[in-house]
Amino acid sequence: MSDWPLWEVFVRAKGGLSHRHVGSVHAPDREMALNHARDTYTRRLEGVSLWVVKSSDIVASDPDQSGPTFEPAADKVYRHPTFYEIPDEVKHI
Amino acid sequence: MPSLPTISEKDEARAAASDAGAPEGSFDAPTASAHDEATIAYVTSLGDDALILGQRLSEWCGHAPALEVDLSLANMGLDLIGQATNWLGLAARHDERYANADALAFHRDVLDFRNCLLVEQPNGDFAQTMARQLLFSTWQHLLLERLAGASDEAIAGIAAKSVKEVAYHRELSHDWVVRLGDGTEESKRRMAAGLDWCWRFIPELFEVTEELEALVQRGIAVDPRSFEEEYRAALAATLEEATLDAPAEQRPILGGRRGHHSEHLGHLLAVMQYLPRTYPEAKW
Amino acid sequence: MYTTELDKQKQPPEGANVTAIDGAEDPALVEAFEARVAADEFIEPKDWMPEAYRKTLVRQISQHAHSEIVGMLPEGNWITRAPSLRRKAILLAKVQDEGGHGLYLYCAAETLGTSREEMIEALHSGKAKYSTIFNYPTLTWADIAAIGWLVDGAAIMNQVPLQRASYGPYARAMVRVCKEESFHQRQGYEAMLVLANGTPEQKRMAQDAINRWWWPSLMMFGPPDDQSPNTERSMRWRIKRETNDELRQKFVDITVPQAEFAGLTVPDPDLSWNEAKGGYDFGEIDWEEFYAVVRGEGPVAKERMKARRDAWEDGAWVREAADAHEAKKAARKVA
């Protein structure tokens, strides 16, 4: 007695917004995953577009490696606009 | 349970008097077409189809083959109960015997229900439920698409709202019939049996009585024969994808539209109507 | 609907076991974990966590999920008999929501490495527990009103704080659950008001329902604090935010005036307002009854389990068929 594979569900709440992860469903295939996502996660007008991705197809970063993965970005302050000093008199920049 | 009070001569006289009394062309005067018995009966049949199938689908709640499927079945049931509320509400507005949609749903007996025989068939297993859904939703979808352009605004409005819901029911039942037909040996056998059970009720969906013919002439109703070919082709396409043979043609069973139902409907009504019938004075 | 964490016996047998697991873990990792939780950070699925935290969460979240799914049955019992089209739609939508909540919660628990199938099998074998409340029968339509009002009311008390639980997927599932549940209690109380102001038969139904559901609702918060050995640790881990007795007191204080407004009598002769504590004093809960129901001896426990097992077993061929179809399609693609 089996259960179906797991799919991750992403919903675009309205035009102009990105799809956002809302949860998961079990489904035997792509079409059914979409049907199940619709019936589970958009019952209250929550969305205008749906994505489903097989959970096993998602590649995630390793939290144990979060040091090497994310910390090198911490000292690249020159990537941020506030790093640069512009005299107050200069506008529109 | 008491059957319906028949319309007495006094009632008829009263109805005639009230008709005569309506000033011609008065603001918001209901159109004659929305008033007559044949139209009310047609609208009631659309409502009864939705009500009875919605009731059947709600029986699955908590017992479906998977949690996700439970939600799908409930969604369809909710759509249909909503449609029934709209159709029966419209019928009740033009039928002085009934105060509202609830009066029609809970205070009529079998002989006055006008739903087709297909929707009152028991759920059976999931395959039979999906066979019933495919056969009905495909028909209902083709009908509502056309009815959305009907001459009566109220009818067209409800049809236009419902057609989007039914498009999904049709798609979902198609998806399931394909998977069960072309799944395992067991599921194929069950799917074939489910279709076989429902097949004899198809002709009733395309039955055109004199009453219906007259409504079609007036642009109020849709002649189902106008989409029978498309219906048969759609079913054939689903069955082919499902690697299933169409069941052998069977002797059509008719009667639902005239109040002559299967034995199943009486039991369904006994359950559904029990509270309002037991406590007729109560509000809920 | 939330159930407080339940154990089969009064004393959880795992105490020593847990220490052993803790002992085997790297103290530096444990310390870092505790510090993160204490700092109100969220723990996510791939983060390191103590085994005891993982185990406790799987048990708590899956019990909650089971409660939602089994909880569909007592109310589902009345969908086909709802007395109006409006009530039918409301009830079907509500029971469907509970199915959805079970689904969200199973998925949250799955991120901890236990499959939904394993959790469902644990439920069906009797190994896993669910809220005691659903082992009572729904006899009249008023029971549907009582469940919405009392049972969902008790559930909300438990669930709202869990939106800030330390485990990310659990907290996010709870946010969704709470948002959707907001109508559940209101529809129940509304239905109860109609009955309480209705015909003599309806009033009788309403009072009978509160008579039967009051005490089981109070039991939903779980054993008293002094018999709830894991509370302290769970509170430290932020997977429980208030104690059983605190929540129970809150529930009584909120609900008694609602009953009075409806003209219904709370079936507790010891109930009285205590000015000093600013809350109600209430009678002793029958804990023997509670533990009997926890052990699976509730009035309709057998029916509930049978219904769930039947649905799962009768649905096996459907799930298998869909998998087989997908496999065939994949094979055709390769060919």
Side-chain angles (χ1 to χ4, degrees):
Chain A
M1 265 172 266
S2 59
D3 205 341
W4 295 316
L6 198 62
W7 302 71
E8 299 304 319
V9 181
F10 300 81
V11 174
R12 185 201 297 286
K14 55 182 181 190
L17 296 181
S18 313
H19 285 76
R20 192 167 151 241
H21 183 244
V22 292
S24 1
V25 289
H26 287 263
D29 55 63
R30 301 145 58 106
E31 291 82 20
M32 276 297 167
L34 263 186
N35 290 340
H36 290 173
R38 176 222 186 245
D39 283 332
T40 305
Y41 290 103
T42 64
R43 288 175 291 142
R44 286 173 166 81
L45 291 172
E46 289 99 332
V48 295
S49 165
L50 272 172
W51 286 351
V52 290
V53 184
K54 216 172 193 174
S55 307
S56 57
D57 285 344
I58 290 186
V59 184
S61 62
D62 180 353
D64 291 342
Q65 292 297 308
S66 66
T69 311
F70 302 113
E71 276 170 31
D75 65 353
K76 311 289 193 294
V77 282
Y78 44 79
R79 289 195 197 274
H80 301 275
T82 46
F83 180 71
Y84 302 93
E85 272 185 41
I86 306 284
D88 287 348
E89 302 89 290
V90 183
K91 301 295 177 200
H92 308 299
I93 185 161
Chain B
M1 282 173 211
S3 63
L4 264 190
T6 45
I7 303 175
S8 65
E9 277 171 37
K10 205 171 71 189
D11 288 336
E12 278 172 10
R14 200 164 58 209
S18 79
D19 263 357
E24 210 173 322
S26 68
F27 188 65
D28 263 358
T31 57
S33 70
H35 245 347
D36 65 81
E37 227 175 277
T39 308
I40 293 170
Y42 183 61
V43 170
T44 304
S45 76
L46 297 170
D48 286 347
D49 282 350
L51 175 63
I52 301 303
L53 188 54
Q55 175 77 2
R56 279 288 185 227
L57 288 172
S58 79
E59 292 170 9
W60 271 105
C61 190
H63 307 278
L67 211 35
E68 285 82 1
V69 178
D70 219 307
L71 301 197
S72 296
L73 293 170
N75 269 349
M76 286 199 286
L78 283 168
D79 287 343
L80 288 162
I81 292 164
Q83 292 170 21
T85 307
N86 290 332
W87 289 124
L88 296 181
L90 177 62
R93 277 201 291 287
H94 298 295
D95 187 339
E96 60 173 20
R97 294 172 299 171
Y98 299 99
N100 50 36
D102 281 340
L104 277 159
F106 297 98
H107 292 285
R108 279 179 300 156
D109 203 354
V110 193
L111 291 178
D112 291 306
F113 271 82
R114 290 179 164 266
N115 59 281
C116 59
L117 297 168
L118 178 62
V119 293
E120 70 197 45
Q121 294 308 305
N123 287 340
D125 62 7
F126 185 66
Q128 187 172 319
T129 292
M130 283 300 113
R132 184 184 65 198
Q133 200 68 43
L134 178 75
L135 266 46
F136 181 74
S137 296
T138 305
W139 178 82
Q140 196 194 15
H141 184 236
L142 295 170
L143 174 76
L144 292 176
E145 274 182 333
R146 287 157 180 81
L147 209 51
S151 63
D152 185 288
E153 262 178 50
I155 292 177
I158 298 174
K161 190 183 167 292
S162 313
V163 73
K164 294 177 197 142
E165 298 169 346
V166 173
Y168 179 71
H169 304 176
R170 181 181 172 180
E171 185 190 313
L172 187 71
S173 55
H174 161 91
D175 287 352
W176 270 117
V177 170
V178 167
R179 277 154 187 76
L180 298 180
D182 186 25
T184 60
E185 257 178 56
E186 180 182 7
S187 71
K188 188 183 214 70
R189 177 175 55 72
R190 286 174 180 265
M191 198 60 243
L195 286 163
D196 185 65
W197 182 271
C198 297
W199 210 251
R200 64 194 186 280
F201 304 113
I202 292 177
E204 187 187 26
L205 302 173
F206 296 97
E207 189 191 9
V208 179
T209 58
E210 260 175 50
E211 238 179 16
L212 181 57
E213 182 80 61
L215 290 177
V216 170
Q217 294 302 323
R218 288 159 58 197
I220 290 169
V222 167
D223 187 337
R225 290 169 304 192
S226 67
F227 57 80
E228 186 167 5
E229 209 172 303
E230 194 179 340
Y231 177 85
R232 294 280 182 179
L235 285 194
T238 302
L239 293 186
E240 193 190 336
E241 207 183 326
T243 66
L244 287 166
D245 296 324
E249 284 306 322
Q250 304 170 18
R251 180 170 175 244
I253 310 294
L254 308 169
R257 301 294 187 206
R258 289 182 294 281
H260 293 161
H261 291 274
S262 65
E263 291 172 347
H264 305 294
L265 186 65
H267 292 279
L268 181 149
L269 295 182
V271 170
M272 185 176 83
Q273 298 180 334
Y274 132 77
L275 268 179
R277 296 277 202 163
T278 309
Y279 304 102
E281 304 304 316
K283 300 224 169 358
W284 305 92
Chain C
M1 270 174 243
Y2 176 69
T3 167
T4 194
E5 210 190 333
L6 298 172
D7 287 301
K8 230 169 180 176
Q9 288 96 19
K10 271 192 191 179
Q11 297 301 322
E14 64 176 275
N17 199 5
V18 168
T19 324
I21 293 170
D22 279 346
E25 285 167 343
D26 180 348
L29 285 174
V30 175
E31 200 180 319
F33 168 86
E34 293 280 356
R36 285 185 65 194
V37 173
D40 275 357
E41 280 183 40
F42 286 102
I43 305 301
E44 294 296 339
K46 296 183 86 182
D47 293 347
W48 186 89
M49 62 188 83
E51 263 320 292
Y53 177 81
R54 183 186 301 275
K55 262 183 72 179
T56 306
L57 266 179
V58 168
R59 193 175 60 191
Q60 179 173 332
I61 302 173
S62 67
Q63 274 182 9
H64 188 169
H66 298 329
S67 299
E68 299 279 357
I69 301 310
V70 179
M72 296 171 80
L73 299 169
E75 288 178 284
N77 183 36
W78 279 88
I79 294 171
T80 57
R81 290 179 290 170
S84 71
L85 293 172
R86 176 173 173 267
R87 292 282 174 210
K88 190 184 290 294
I90 292 170
L91 186 58
L92 180 53
K94 176 181 188 288
V95 180
Q96 182 201 41
D97 272 352
E98 278 148 20
H101 299 167
L103 199 159
Y104 308 155
L105 287 160
Y106 280 129
C107 288
E110 280 184 287
T111 62
L112 291 158
T114 308
S115 73
R116 182 164 85 178
E117 202 176 339
E118 287 172 86
M119 290 184 266
I120 289 175
E121 271 158 16
L123 171 70
H124 293 175
S125 72
K127 214 177 104 201
K129 295 288 145 194
Y130 57 92
S131 184
T132 48
I133 193 89
F134 304 118
N135 292 312
Y136 293 91
T138 47
L139 303 181
T140 73
W141 173 252
D143 290 26
I144 299 309
I147 288 182
W149 171 36
L150 300 175
V151 177
D152 286 286
I156 289 167
M157 300 246 125
N158 257 318
Q159 290 175 160
V160 166
L162 286 172
Q163 297 179 91
R164 295 174 293 118
S166 62
Y167 187 58
Y170 190 25
R172 290 190 288 274
M174 291 315 301
V175 168
R176 222 183 164 80
V177 168
C178 287
K179 203 170 118 199
E180 296 187 355
E181 288 236 330
S182 52
F183 91 84
H184 291 187
Q185 191 192 12
R186 290 174 69 95
Q187 66 82 31
Y189 188 65
E190 184 211 67
M192 192 55 108
L193 277 182
V194 171
L195 296 174
N197 294 305
T199 65
E201 291 95 338
Q202 286 176 304
K203 283 183 186 157
R204 178 181 168 215
M205 271 182 216
Q207 185 59 49
D208 185 70
I210 187 175
N211 289 351
R212 283 180 290 113
W213 290 94
W214 176 257
W215 289 108
S217 298
L218 295 194
M219 293 175 195
M220 279 178 75
F221 296 96
D225 292 349
D226 55 12
Q227 287 177 53
S228 184
N230 291 328
T231 292
E232 196 194 314
R233 190 183 67 182
S234 289
M235 300 224 355
R236 189 180 80 231
W237 280 343
R238 287 196 298 119
I239 52 180
K240 187 177 178 123
R241 312 286 326 226
E242 285 173 82
T243 73
N244 298 352
D245 286 333
E246 283 166 3
L247 288 167
R248 188 163 19 240
Q249 182 67 49
K250 240 192 205 175
F251 174 75
V252 172
D253 292 345
I254 287 175
T255 311
V256 170
Q258 293 169 354
E260 281 168 1
F261 181 83
L264 296 167
T265 309
V266 174
D268 179 358
D270 298 326
L271 188 76
S272 66
W273 178 254
N274 180 333
E275 192 62 50
K277 81 169 179 187
Y280 285 92
D281 290 330
F282 51 94
E284 186 63 33
I285 291 171
D286 181 356
W287 293 112
E288 285 310 310
E289 160 78 8
F290 173 75
Y291 286 111
V293 180
V294 170
R295 284 194 305 270
E297 297 166 18
V300 292
K302 278 201 179 355
E303 284 90 336
R304 298 289 183 252
M305 274 306 94
K306 181 177 187 306
R308 282 317 311 160
R309 271 190 223 115
D310 286 352
W312 182 248
E313 285 163 17
D314 294 347
W317 69 269
V318 176
R319 299 192 301 275
E320 281 158 16
D323 279 337
H325 177 77
E326 176 63 2
K328 280 187 192 174
K329 256 195 339 199
R332 280 198 289 264
K333 223 173 176 179
V334 172

